Amino acid sequence: MKTIIKISTLFLTIIIFACTNKQSEKAMIHKTELAFPKGDQITNNNFTGTAWLQMLVSNDSIYTTSIGNVTFEPGARTNWHKHPGGQILLVTEGTGYYQEKGKPAQQLHKGDVVKIPPDTEHWHGAAHNNGLTHIAISPNTDKGSVVWLQPVTDEEYNNIK
Ligand code: MN
């Protein structure tokens, strides 16, 4: 009897070890699966909450385009702002929102593409309970760089339906 208990305990230990090991292996694979780095935490006042930026393409006179990978933690968002040359967002991870002034906020999901017309006041950011990662393509930089405006208030953010 004692031997049976000992053997079953041993098996249980092996199974638990195998499962735990598999989980940490999964976590490691997920980490290396990131297509682009998360970059550095954004410390300026143009964002609310915690967001990260990795520049992928710096603006120059040949391409007149800047491209950045932006990661928002839950609740984080940009201020209201506009792009003189427009902007395109490619959502690569998570869920969030895009809103143009005077219009309802749109939900964003992985795989969404958002075309933001030039000089259109808007903001983008994470959902309340989920983070968001998008690639932000800002073309036509010869028309001017981003114009930052007021923060998206908690009232505005929490009233999203
Ligand atoms: Mn924008």
Side-chain angles (χ1 to χ4, degrees), residues 78 81-83 87 89 98 116 122-124 136 138 146 148:
T78 67
H81 63 282
K82 44 194 180 179
H83 307 275
Q87 188 177 52
L89 306 177
Y98 166 69
I116 304 166
H122 70 280
W123 65 271
H124 24 113
S138 302
V146 54
W148 288 108

Side-chain angles (χ1 to χ4, degrees), residues 48 77-80 123 150-160:
T48 297
R77 67 261 186 186
T78 67
N79 284 8
W80 290 98
W123 65 271
Q150 71 284 1
V152 174
T153 63
D154 286 344
E155 202 187 348
E156 285 173 312
Y157 185 75
N158 293 329
N159 279 343
I160 295 169

Side-chain angles (χ1 to χ4, degrees), residues 24-158:
S24 62
E25 213 173 85
K26 256 189 189 169
M28 273 176 67
I29 287 167
H30 182 74
K31 214 176 179 182
T32 55
E33 267 178 0
L34 276 181
F36 300 106
K38 197 173 170 185
D40 300 315
Q41 195 176 332
I42 297 169
T43 54
N44 61 50
N45 293 324
N46 301 322
F47 288 71
T48 297
T50 305
W52 305 75
L53 171 67
Q54 173 67 52
M55 281 310 293
L56 302 176
V57 175
S58 294
N59 179 40
D60 65 31
S61 60
I62 299 172
Y63 297 101
T64 61
T65 300
S66 72
I67 304 177
N69 187 39
V70 190
T71 302
F72 299 88
E73 292 190 1
R77 67 261 186 186
T78 67
N79 284 8
W80 290 98
H81 63 282
K82 44 194 180 179
H83 307 275
Q87 188 177 52
I88 298 168
L89 306 177
L90 309 178
V91 179
T92 56
E93 204 61 62
T95 53
Y97 305 110
Y98 166 69
Q99 185 174 26
E100 291 181 6
K101 198 80 175 175
K103 293 184 183 175
Q106 292 175 36
Q107 288 205 16
L108 298 180
H109 300 98
K110 181 175 180 172
D112 285 348
V113 176
V114 184
K115 289 171 89 176
I116 304 166
D119 293 318
T120 302
E121 194 171 334
H122 70 280
W123 65 271
H124 24 113
H128 291 75
N129 300 313
N130 197 10
L132 176 81
T133 304
H134 68 46
I135 291 173
I137 304 171
S138 302
N140 311 308
T141 51
D142 48 323
K143 292 185 177 157
S145 52
V146 54
V147 179
W148 288 108
L149 303 164
Q150 71 284 1
V152 174
T153 63
D154 286 344
E155 202 187 348
E156 285 173 312
Y157 185 75
N158 293 329

